[in-house]
Amino acid sequence: MDLAERIARRRSQRSEHRLVVDWDGLNPAVHLQEPVGREALIEALLEAIDPLFDETLPSNVYVWGPAGAGKSAIVTALMSTLEGELSPRQPIYTTTRGGSERLEIRFVYVDARRETSRFRIYRQTLAALRTESVPRRGVGTDELRAQLRAELATTDGVLIAVDHLDEPGTIGLEDLQDVFASFDDVAWIGVGRTPPDDLSAPVPNARIHVPRYSYELVDILTVRASRALSRNLDHDQARRLTEWAEGNAHDALAALYVAAVEADAAEANRIRSGDVERGTQAIPRGGAPIGRVLALSENERVVLRELLDLPAREEGSIDAVADEIAERSDLTSSTVKRLLYELAQIGVLDRVQVSVGSSVVGRNPSMVKPNFSTALFERLDDT
DNA sequence: GATCCACGGGAATACACGGATG
DNA sequence: CATCCGTGTATTCCCGTGGATC
């Protein structure tokens, strides 16, 4: 979108009193093409993968830092730009025997929250590299690995970024080493929260620490808001959000998103401080990131949706809640119960002791409550 | 026929608590 | 008083089965 177009769009939006021009601009799970306030880190990352620019694969890299520090933002932006700049837009070469066709290094981003098995990682990588369809079932992991190996031969190597390692429910750095151990023409960037010293697996020498945001977060909110809103965000409100979020960009953006929803619903022409207030109240600090929740399987999200729809979800043991949800879905109570426990284990739900009357015998039941922004989930979880 | 993996259910383990035991 | 035991529930762990796909 060029400048004139942007201006025109704003004017027309303004005249319709639309505050929010582009919801994705505020979506914590969607990253900017051009990260803000992380120039030094990007430089460090480029340095680590420098051999690429001589058309050789770099060594593996480990990127780590706390939640909401912008790891995904940097890595996704880097990978998509590299794929755009250094890889052919479409493969136009024909493989002439003995010909010296110039191959290319390719770039793939994999979200370990979605690709939870070795099979899926191979599959996702393969799907990113080739245009023909990739089997989902009926073919073994070894077969898929062989197909990937064959596909790699048509490239000069692949740099694969695997995000969200070592989170509850995702594979770890150790698994990643193993998955690509037998590939010479693959280098990877592993991304996780765990400090290298706390990992038992061998960690690549190239390590990039992404620290929590401090002042930069104000700029990020400001830039995001300027893209997403037809009116600028007050500097004070941006500051208030970053302080409340203690530097966690996800939480700050999520709160801003909800604030925008409030303002939009009220047909306000700017985000008011009451909106920000309600935004912050709608986000559990340090809860599960919305991207985590959206990456859950269909049935896990069904369970969450039903849970949120339950008339009185504040009370009710897991057992009782599972029964109710089972009635409203085509899952068994037993399966719903298992899913609820699993969601609690990965931090999407919180388990809280239900204060129970004295008479009962046996272990005390607990109930679950969401540990993520339900407002955001309800808006972003389409289908 | 092979393969992956989501379901579903049951086995094993953890916990709560009153009462018995040392 | 500290520990163990029995009973009843909650929670975690595990694995066989079957659907969908190749």
Side-chain angles (χ1 to χ4, degrees):
Chain A
M1 176 160 59
D2 66 27
L3 192 52
E5 209 175 330
R6 216 175 253 178
I7 289 170
R9 190 159 161 199
R10 278 201 180 211
R11 272 183 50 179
S12 76
Q13 300 290 2
R14 179 67 56 80
S15 62
E16 293 168 23
H17 299 290
R18 296 317 287 174
L19 171 63
V20 181
V21 181
D22 172 20
W23 285 102
D24 272 352
L26 302 180
N27 184 342
V30 174
H31 300 291
L32 297 179
Q33 196 64 36
E34 195 71 27
V36 175
R38 285 308 205 193
E39 287 73 20
L41 285 170
I42 292 191
E43 200 51 42
L45 198 44
L46 287 175
E47 181 64 28
I49 60 173
D50 187 65
L52 278 180
F53 305 103
D54 298 325
E55 284 151 48
T56 15
L57 278 180
S59 309
N60 299 333
V61 182
Y62 183 54
V63 175
W64 62 282
K71 302 182 297 299
S72 299
I74 295 174
V75 172
T76 54
L78 179 75
M79 296 304 281
S80 80
T81 307
L82 284 172
E83 177 72 5
E85 294 293 318
L86 298 188
S87 293
R89 202 155 273 277
Q90 57 243 26
I92 32 172
Y93 49 79
T94 52
T95 36
T96 44
R97 188 155 307 178
S100 55
E101 294 299 331
R102 235 190 69 155
L103 303 179
E104 301 284 351
I105 293 181
R106 301 288 306 277
F107 303 89
V108 177
Y109 174 86
V110 172
D111 183 354
R113 287 169 176 162
R114 292 175 190 275
E115 319 311 332
T116 52
S117 68
R118 171 183 291 255
F119 179 87
R120 284 190 184 166
I121 290 182
Y122 289 143
R123 178 174 192 285
Q124 182 58 31
T125 308
L126 203 45
L129 290 178
R130 77 177 182 203
T131 46
E132 315 95 81
S133 69
V134 182
R136 291 175 181 282
R137 300 156 182 278
V139 58
T141 305
D142 289 346
E143 165 64 18
L144 211 54
R145 190 208 283 115
Q147 290 193 24
L148 177 56
R149 201 179 293 283
E151 191 67 32
L152 286 172
T154 71
T155 72
D156 250 354
V158 178
L159 179 63
I160 305 175
V162 183
D163 203 353
H164 305 122
L165 298 173
D166 289 297
E167 287 183 12
T170 69
I171 67 159
L173 184 65
E174 191 164 9
D175 305 299
L176 176 58
Q177 312 260 23
D178 196 43
V179 166
F180 291 114
S182 63
F183 287 92
D184 292 333
D185 33 14
V186 166
W188 46 257
I189 300 176
V191 184
R193 296 175 187 167
T194 317
D197 291 347
D198 295 353
L199 286 163
S200 52
V203 181
N205 287 325
R207 301 168 188 182
I208 294 174
H209 175 42
V210 181
R212 178 171 296 283
Y213 285 115
S214 52
Y215 62 91
E216 312 93 332
L217 187 47
V218 174
D219 296 340
I220 292 171
L221 293 182
T222 306
V223 169
R224 289 270 209 154
S226 76
R227 305 246 172 112
L229 306 177
S230 55
R231 282 280 280 275
N232 284 338
L233 180 67
D234 290 355
H235 190 259
D236 283 350
Q237 293 182 350
R239 277 225 345 248
R240 184 158 150 231
L241 283 165
T242 67
E243 277 165 23
W244 166 80
E246 293 169 0
N248 182 323
H250 168 275
D251 287 0
L253 273 170
L256 179 56
Y257 192 108
V258 175
V261 171
E262 293 282 337
D264 185 61
E267 294 187 11
N269 61 5
R270 58 182 203 86
I271 290 189
R272 304 151 302 176
S273 83
D275 301 324
V276 172
E277 181 65 28
R278 273 190 289 281
T280 57
Q281 281 166 7
I283 313 298
R285 279 294 342 274
I290 194 64
R292 197 332 147 213
V293 183
L294 297 174
L296 293 169
S297 74
E298 172 61 22
N299 278 338
E300 286 168 323
R301 283 178 291 117
V302 165
V303 167
L304 288 182
R305 283 200 289 272
E306 296 297 344
L307 177 67
L308 300 183
D309 278 352
L310 243 40
R313 67 178 141 100
E314 288 308 309
E315 41 258 81
S317 63
I318 291 188
D319 201 56
V321 164
D323 285 347
E324 293 202 51
I325 294 177
E327 295 240 335
R328 298 150 180 259
S329 68
D330 46 6
L331 295 170
T332 318
S333 168
S334 161
T335 297
V336 174
K337 201 191 297 183
R338 176 173 57 76
L339 292 178
L340 287 173
Y341 279 119
E342 286 174 2
L343 290 168
Q345 273 181 329
I346 64 176
V348 169
L349 296 175
D350 253 353
R351 271 173 50 202
V352 294
Q353 285 297 312
V354 60
S355 47
V356 70
S358 51
S359 59
V360 259
V361 62
R363 189 172 177 173
N364 292 339
S366 52
M367 56 187 201
V368 286
K369 67 186 214 323
N371 186 34
F372 56 92
S373 164
T374 58
L376 225 55
F377 175 67
E378 278 162 357
R379 272 190 81 94
L380 298 178
D381 180 52
D382 33 23
T383 66

